[in-house]
Amino acid sequence: MQKYFLAAALVILTLSAQSTIRTLSNNPANLAQFSTMATAINASQSGDTIYVHGSPISYAAWSITDKKLTIIGPGYLPDKTFPYSAVLSFGTVVGDKSSGCKFEGLVFTGGISVLGADSIYILRNYFMQGFIDLSRTFTDVGHQGFVIEGNYFSNISNAITAFYPVNNTIIQNNVFYKGAILGFQNGTNVLINHNLFYGPTNIPTVCFPSCNNLVLSNNIFVRRDAGTGNSNSTFNNNITYLCTQNTPWAMNGNVDVKGNIASQNPQITNQTLIEAGTLGLLLDFTINNGPAKNTGSDGKDMGLLFDSIGFYNWKNSRFSRLPYLFKMNIYNPVIQTGGSITVDIEARKNN
């Protein structure tokens, strides 16, 4: 058994030195400094971090205006005794001074709308019904610098939308169940990398309606079409299977750079469930063998990343990246005055 209590304490001390840490809980059984998103955000200054406790109660609508904040929840499927997630309703991120906001380890039922901010980090969240809207801005110059990574998008027609140019953006290591990426046009350096697109057959199957100039690499498409509505994009080391159009790189002015594989079973561990369009946050998306194994442009498997070290391991996407207290045993709960208490604490890290 490894104990990471000291590491957890060091992380908290480091964060405390850089910003104010605020805690939020709307669960009466779990007290914190604040009980609503609005009051926690209003009390915060740029650079602050808000830890959102898991709760059986959803948090109400919220808005961040001209503040660079970090909002962290426990993950969408935290591994602990009471595995509540932090469920957020619709929220907005407004103003250039909000550039650099981070959202991690949360469940969204209403999504996020970005108005005039750049460089938003959206990491390891579950978009149960909500979506990411990058289409509204105070100017027509567009957005840049987004990182959308390690998320699971489900039960929505459009997972990410953007009707102004988006530049220098990475959408990586996500699962898109049903949801499409809509309206990315005339941007530069938009990388769609190491994602899995799948879902049931009774909904629209187009992944990139009204998009162009994308760079698509190392993705797996099962029953999802990456060519319709997507033009002048470059494809390298992607694989398609059971799609209406199995060669999206050969249509609409798209470019087949290298390494693309058409109409072959990627042999994901839970391939049968994926072909059936099964929604599953804990499905096993690793590659067993076959055409997607070690054939990415980076020498890794196509589809989701499962690096053994570092941040890029889909198995960790259900958690936020903070260490957490996993278990605490008090061996002598009854002590004499002036006596000592013996406590065994186990904490765990999440890369």
Side-chain angles (χ1 to χ4, degrees):
M1 177 179 68
Q2 292 180 300
K3 295 178 175 64
Y4 298 101
F5 181 67
L6 178 59
L10 290 174
V11 169
I12 292 172
L13 288 172
T14 301
L15 288 172
S16 299
Q18 296 173 344
S19 64
T20 299
I21 306 298
R22 306 183 190 277
T23 58
L24 168 63
S25 173
N26 64 359
N27 182 1
N30 188 11
L31 298 179
Q33 294 171 298
F34 301 93
S35 61
T36 68
M37 283 287 290
T39 55
I41 291 170
N42 289 340
S44 299
Q45 304 297 320
S46 283
D48 289 354
T49 297
I50 300 173
Y51 292 150
V52 187
H53 288 250
S55 171
I57 308 166
S58 296
Y59 291 88
W62 52 276
S63 182
I64 298 172
T65 301
D66 285 328
K67 295 180 181 181
K68 177 185 175 183
L69 302 180
T70 297
I71 314 294
I72 301 179
Y76 58 79
L77 281 175
D79 181 16
K80 55 184 183 178
T81 304
F82 299 104
Y84 290 127
S85 56
V87 182
L88 272 57
S89 300
F90 178 76
T92 58
V93 181
V94 182
D96 181 66
K97 292 181 180 179
S98 293
S99 296
C101 281
K102 296 181 181 179
F103 300 88
E104 181 174 337
L106 304 162
V107 175
F108 290 93
T109 59
I112 303 174
S113 182
V114 179
L115 294 84
D118 292 325
S119 302
I120 305 298
Y121 295 80
I122 302 173
L123 313 170
R124 297 187 178 188
N125 305 287
Y126 175 34
F127 287 82
M128 182 186 298
Q129 295 171 339
F131 59 98
I132 302 170
D133 179 11
L134 309 180
S135 65
R136 293 184 289 173
T137 178
F138 294 134
T139 68
D140 60 359
V141 298
H143 296 302
Q144 63 180 345
F146 293 100
V147 177
I148 301 172
E149 181 180 283
N151 304 284
Y152 195 113
F153 296 90
S154 74
N155 295 323
I156 45 180
S157 57
N158 297 318
I160 309 172
T161 62
F163 291 105
Y164 289 89
V166 174
N167 307 306
N168 303 319
T169 288
I170 297 175
I171 301 174
Q172 176 174 265
N173 207 34
N174 303 283
V175 172
F176 291 89
Y177 176 82
K178 296 185 179 180
I181 296 174
L182 171 66
F184 279 67
Q185 294 189 354
N186 303 317
T188 58
N189 299 322
V190 178
L191 176 63
I192 316 294
N193 185 49
H194 278 292
N195 301 284
L196 170 63
F197 295 81
Y198 84 105
T201 59
N202 61 344
I203 63 166
T205 63
V206 177
C207 295
F208 305 106
S210 302
C211 290
N212 61 35
N213 296 331
L214 304 176
V215 177
L216 297 110
S217 60
N218 306 309
N219 302 289
I220 293 177
F221 301 93
V222 178
R223 299 191 188 277
R224 290 293 175 266
D225 294 330
T228 300
N230 180 17
S231 62
N232 301 314
S233 294
T234 61
F235 288 75
N236 62 282
N237 298 78
N238 302 277
I239 186 168
T240 64
Y241 186 58
L242 301 176
C243 302
T244 303
Q245 300 155 344
N246 279 299
T247 56
W249 44 83
M251 57 189 298
N252 298 335
N254 295 324
V255 179
D256 181 358
V257 177
K258 64 175 183 178
N260 295 300
I261 300 174
S263 194
Q264 291 194 36
N265 188 336
Q267 298 187 34
I268 300 171
T269 299
N270 283 153
Q271 181 70 36
T272 301
L273 294 174
I274 291 168
E275 291 177 22
T278 304
L279 171 67
L281 299 179
L282 293 179
L283 291 182
D284 189 343
F285 297 118
T286 56
I287 302 297
N288 281 327
N289 212 326
K293 187 70 175 178
N294 298 326
T295 54
S297 61
D298 49 11
K300 301 177 182 180
D301 296 346
M302 293 185 189
L304 300 176
L305 292 163
F306 290 92
D307 291 3
S308 58
I309 59 174
F311 295 137
Y312 304 117
N313 188 333
W314 177 259
K315 291 180 180 178
N316 295 328
S317 66
R318 58 187 285 201
F319 316 108
S320 61
R321 291 179 177 175
L322 288 178
Y324 65 99
L325 185 63
F326 180 75
K327 186 191 323 182
M328 181 172 69
N329 294 319
I330 301 176
Y331 291 104
N332 56 332
V334 178
I335 59 175
Q336 301 298 321
T337 302
S340 298
I341 186 171
T342 303
V343 181
D344 181 37
I345 296 175
E346 179 184 350
R348 295 182 178 181
K349 67 177 181 178
N350 290 319
N351 286 329

